[in-house]
Amino acid sequence: MKQIISRISTYIYATVMFVFGIQHFMYADFVATLVPGWIPFHLFWVYLTAVALIAAAVSIYVNLYAQWGCFLLGCMIWVFILTIHIPLLINSHFDAGKITNALKDTGLASCAFILAVFYEREGN
């Protein structure tokens, strides 16, 4: 039963990342406004992130380099936390929405790292 639940949860997580990747393509102009101003080539980073999200999802779906895909996905999300969320939290007054987004991404990164360990134990 544990294996079934963990496998289903893994596929749900991959699906969420896949949808986020598609949304990055669909709403690229809006997502580009979230890239910090000091980083050049905003649209490039949006599209690269979209490809990375989709690649991580596919690696989980097909169980090919899934450990690396999950580890790198977690690292990428932590880069977002460090470069987007923390500066927003520091430079603004209390905003529950910004705190919620930072915590959401922290949870998504943590899940990616947990999955990386899961795949390591599985031997894949």
Side-chain angles (χ1 to χ4, degrees):
M1 186 63 152
K2 289 179 188 178
Q3 290 177 342
I4 293 170
I5 291 171
S6 66
R7 187 58 65 192
I8 290 170
S9 298
T10 301
Y11 290 139
I12 290 171
Y13 184 79
T15 302
V16 169
M17 293 300 113
F18 188 85
V19 170
F20 285 168
I22 297 298
Q23 287 180 329
H24 273 66
F25 280 120
M26 291 173 58
Y27 306 109
D29 290 331
F30 168 73
V31 177
T33 65
L34 304 175
V35 177
W38 54 269
I39 297 175
F41 312 112
H42 291 188
L43 275 177
F44 167 78
W45 294 110
V46 171
Y47 290 131
L48 182 66
T49 299
V51 170
L53 289 166
I54 292 169
V58 170
S59 76
I60 293 170
Y61 289 140
V62 299
N63 198 13
L64 185 64
Y65 299 109
Q67 179 183 3
W68 275 107
C70 291
F71 175 74
L72 293 172
L73 176 61
C75 290
M76 181 180 74
I77 296 171
W78 263 104
V79 168
F80 300 157
I81 294 165
L82 295 172
T83 61
I84 297 171
H85 295 300
I86 291 177
L88 280 175
L89 291 171
I90 290 171
N91 295 322
S92 66
H93 298 290
F94 177 80
D95 182 347
K98 290 177 184 172
I99 293 170
T100 299
N101 283 336
L103 292 174
K104 174 197 60 125
D105 278 359
T106 302
L108 290 172
S110 298
C111 186
F113 290 131
I114 290 168
L115 285 175
V117 171
F118 169 77
Y119 282 108
E120 179 182 36
R121 290 184 182 165
E122 239 187 29
N124 298 318

